[in-house]
Amino acid sequence: MIHTSFDRLVVVSNRLPVVLKWEHERWTVRAGAGGLVTALAPVLSRNGGVWMGWPGTSEQADVHAPLEEFSQSQGYLLHPVILQTEDVRGYYYGFSNEVLWPLLHGFHTHCNFKLDYWEKYQKVNNRFAQEILQVTTEDDYVWVHDYHLMCVAREINKGLSRRKCGFFLHIPFPGPEIFLKLPWRRSILGSLLEFDLIGFQTSQDMMNFVRCLECLCSNTRVHTEQNLAWIACGDKEVTAGTFPISIDFDEFAELAASKEVSSRTDKLHMLHPDQQVILGVDRLDYTKGIPQRLEAIRQALIRFPDLKGKIALLQVLVPSREEVPEYQALKEEIERLVGEINGQFTEPGWIPVHYLYRSLPRADLVSFYLASEMALITPLWDGMNLVAKEYCVCNYREDGVLILSEFAGAASQLYSDAILVNPYDVNAVTEAIRRAFYMHPSERQSRMRRLRQTIKTYDIHFWLDSFLQAAFDSRPQEVPMAGFSTFLSSIDRL
Ligand code: ADQ
């Protein structure tokens, strides 16, 4: 572990990792869940660190005092960046959700390239930069997270003050044929070059970024060593690296082995004694490939009648961006498909698709992971996909099969022991389901054992250490990962 080369770690993300609620005439603050907080909290509290972000409340709400009180119980400071409602509309709902999210996932036809969104995005990035300059000193390390804040370093560097500043992108980075459609491509790429270190989930993402730079800057030079790349682009230099994010192995494994979870799991098994449960867990989003997955279940039941009455999909959907018409339409499409499939195939004692539309307590989610004989994780494009890793870690009985999209970042690490599928190829997904259904217990066990070992070695703490190590020593790490060309050529030879 390094972490001694800076005074304080200052994490900056769009949202603070807390849930604020106005209850009984006062604000209550609850810790947000998630691996990122679990991994960063010890480093933050050890060095008296800071987490900065929008609290998710309106500009009129005064949340400083409750956050300060909550900070004391956490051992690090939660610093709110207060934003005007109008700015949130353009920066968050507009540019982040309607431009960057679809573009960076390759859905450029979904983009709404409004100039006003871009202006608000820059304004809010500048607002974050000003707040960072006020809260931090030159001895702190500022670590900015995700696509909402790609221009923060540029805004900081406009003045005379300097900060050591790193950036991590949680979602994919597309190649030039997609990225260059962005009207503000030059400005975004130039802004990313203002960070000292840029972290990507996969080597594919990093190389896509380099290819975009090469298109706009003929004088781009790159030197790569293991997971790092030193890039010179005109008069700018930046280090980029691949740091596949992961989960807290011990936390999930312990919860999975707890009495509470195993008694719930046994109950679930009793409900489906002669069936294999296929689990799907996603946020409601068009990038997750849920209609295609449902279609694959329908086709599997048509093509392979031996699976009728023997498999059941348990699809858990977390509500997300419900106010956006496109997401409402997607939800309606999913619910229509669930209804159609159940109408077409249900028989007394067997329902092919079970559908839950809500957020779940962690213990419930983990008991679903443990009770399912397969996980069907088929995003059309995904930065990493933590659900894939959570499923494997919780499967300590080593009897589950992971069916995983080639387009999830997780495939670059888990490709040899998951069954990889192209989520657009419905027939291939149906065949993968059948293969998993009939997979011998010994093969299930050996594959799952290796999957769990990989995730244990490269867990969230490895991710954190390797990023900070690259930030301070520029020391490359060996992170075994494969690009498309490696894993596709091993399964899909011409
Ligand atoms: P997401 O798109 O949100 O994350 P993912 O990585 O799968 O996707 O994480 C989802 C998280 O939500 C998981 O930790 C899961 O446990 C939780 N969750 C899912 N269903 C739930 C439910 N019903 N109730 C409660 N919790 C639920 C973005 C990127 C990903 C990248 C991560 C981290 O889009 O590609 O892997 O950030 O970098």
Side-chain angles (χ1 to χ4, degrees):
M1 298 251 267
I2 45 151
H3 313 169
T4 47
S5 324
F6 51 84
D7 209 357
R8 296 179 306 172
L9 177 63
V10 179
V11 173
V12 186
S13 60
N14 168 51
R15 285 292 290 268
L16 280 175
V18 291
V19 182
L20 277 148
K21 261 199 183 146
W22 181 251
E23 286 174 332
H24 313 298
E25 302 294 301
R26 59 191 287 271
W27 284 105
T28 55
V29 188
R30 267 191 304 112
L36 198 58
V37 198
T38 316
L40 294 172
V43 192
L44 288 169
S45 46
R46 198 177 315 136
N47 297 7
V50 186
W51 195 313
M52 302 177 66
W54 177 50
T57 49
S58 82
E59 64 264 42
Q60 283 90 22
D62 186 1
V63 294
H64 286 86
L67 281 173
E68 224 173 282
E69 196 182 313
F70 186 76
S71 298
Q72 277 161 16
S73 67
Q74 301 299 298
Y76 62 89
L77 186 68
L78 288 142
H79 183 93
V81 180
I82 307 296
L83 302 176
Q84 307 288 320
T85 307
E86 198 44 41
D87 292 343
V88 172
R89 211 166 284 144
Y91 141 80
Y92 178 68
Y93 295 104
F95 202 73
S96 300
N97 286 353
E98 288 185 27
V99 178
L100 290 176
W101 177 266
L103 183 82
L104 298 191
H105 283 92
F107 288 84
H108 51 278
T109 51
H110 290 226
C111 290
N112 192 358
F113 293 127
K114 269 192 183 170
L115 182 60
D116 173 62
Y117 289 173
W118 168 235
E119 286 168 354
K120 290 287 181 339
Y121 183 81
Q122 293 182 98
K123 182 179 172 193
V124 170
N125 273 245
N126 178 274
R127 171 89 189 77
F128 267 87
Q130 298 316 317
E131 201 86 14
I132 290 167
L133 286 169
Q134 270 182 29
V135 171
T136 61
T137 73
E138 286 187 5
D139 297 323
D140 294 329
Y141 185 68
V142 179
W143 189 2
V144 178
H145 286 262
D146 231 358
Y147 60 102
H148 317 88
L149 299 171
M150 295 203 278
C151 297
V152 162
R154 181 192 74 189
E155 295 299 313
I156 289 177
N157 293 344
K158 273 182 179 168
L160 294 177
S161 301
R162 287 288 166 268
R163 294 291 180 272
K164 200 162 169 59
C165 215
F167 176 78
F168 184 76
L169 184 67
H170 289 254
I171 66 175
F173 199 93
E177 55 291 346
I178 293 166
F179 184 80
L180 298 187
K181 300 206 161 67
L182 179 69
W184 308 284
R185 59 202 186 182
R186 201 172 280 280
S187 193
I188 294 273
L189 285 179
S191 300
L192 286 172
L193 293 174
E194 299 271 347
F195 286 98
D196 299 296
L197 172 65
I198 312 171
F200 296 94
Q201 300 272 27
T202 68
S203 48
Q204 194 85 28
D205 297 324
M206 183 170 81
M207 292 324 291
N208 281 342
F209 172 67
V210 169
R211 289 199 297 131
C212 289
L213 289 176
E214 284 168 344
C215 288
L216 294 187
C217 171
S218 55
N219 190 17
T220 300
R221 283 145 294 139
V222 186
H223 167 74
T224 51
E225 203 179 316
Q226 304 214 6
N227 68 324
L228 295 188
W230 289 268
I231 304 169
C233 188
D235 59 354
K236 290 194 175 142
E237 284 182 15
V238 74
T239 306
T242 50
F243 308 96
I245 199 166
S246 194
I247 59 168
D248 188 327
F249 184 97
D250 295 335
E251 196 184 310
F252 273 93
E254 272 165 32
L255 184 56
S258 70
K259 268 205 183 121
E260 182 195 4
V261 166
S262 63
S263 68
R264 279 174 213 225
T265 309
D266 293 341
K267 273 189 208 142
L268 286 168
H269 272 308
M270 280 191 288
L271 288 175
H272 305 276
D274 305 318
Q275 291 165 25
Q276 292 200 16
V277 175
I278 306 173
L279 183 65
V281 176
D282 311 81
R283 248 182 343 91
L284 174 68
D285 199 280
Y286 51 84
T287 61
K288 302 288 181 183
I290 303 158
Q292 289 85 347
R293 183 182 313 159
L294 287 163
E295 201 48 53
I297 292 289
R298 190 209 306 261
Q299 292 305 323
L301 294 171
I302 293 171
R303 286 183 74 197
F304 309 120
D306 50 317
L307 297 183
K308 279 191 188 167
K310 297 283 171 45
I311 57 169
L313 175 72
L314 172 56
Q315 177 63 54
V316 182
L317 211 52
V318 194
S320 175
R321 304 177 192 173
E322 285 174 297
E323 61 295 332
V324 181
E326 196 178 358
Y327 284 71
Q328 290 162 5
L330 176 65
K331 179 170 179 273
E332 280 165 22
E333 185 187 357
I334 291 168
E335 290 174 355
R336 181 180 54 75
L337 282 167
V338 170
E340 271 180 28
I341 297 168
N342 282 342
Q344 196 173 346
F345 297 102
T346 296
E347 284 168 11
W350 173 59
I351 298 171
V353 183
H354 299 261
Y355 167 69
L356 280 76
Y357 181 70
R358 54 180 183 265
S359 195
L360 295 174
R362 174 75 65 88
D364 286 357
L365 190 61
V366 168
S367 57
F368 285 160
Y369 287 146
L370 201 52
S372 305
E373 280 78 8
M374 298 174 217
L376 186 54
I377 299 177
T378 50
L380 306 177
W381 207 354
D382 212 336
M384 179 54 56
N385 196 296
L386 295 179
V387 170
K389 294 187 173 182
E390 291 168 9
Y391 174 73
C392 297
V393 170
C394 293
N395 197 254
Y396 68 90
R397 295 171 183 166
E398 297 176 341
D399 54 4
V401 183
L402 175 65
I403 304 176
L404 181 62
S405 163
E406 292 156 359
F407 304 111
S412 63
Q413 290 180 290
L414 308 180
Y415 62 99
S416 46
D417 294 300
I419 300 183
L420 285 198
V421 288
N422 172 357
Y424 294 95
D425 185 346
V426 172
N427 267 352
V429 179
T430 65
E431 278 152 24
I433 292 170
R434 189 161 191 267
R435 184 174 162 207
F437 182 84
Y438 286 111
M439 190 180 281
H440 194 274
S442 64
E443 187 180 350
R444 284 177 176 245
Q445 186 184 44
S446 53
R447 282 174 179 262
M448 188 50 76
R449 187 164 293 173
R450 288 190 297 265
L451 286 167
R452 296 182 82 243
Q453 190 53 51
T454 304
I455 303 166
K456 188 179 168 103
T457 309
Y458 302 102
D459 69 353
I460 185 84
H461 304 290
F462 178 89
W463 171 78
L464 173 71
D465 285 343
S466 55
F467 188 94
L468 292 178
Q469 201 158 76
F472 288 94
D473 302 1
S474 294
R475 215 178 332 141
Q477 288 267 349
E478 201 176 334
V479 190
M481 288 190 105
F484 281 146
S485 54
T486 313
F487 62 77
L488 288 191
S489 63
S490 67
I491 53 174
D492 212 3
R493 282 200 197 92
L494 282 178

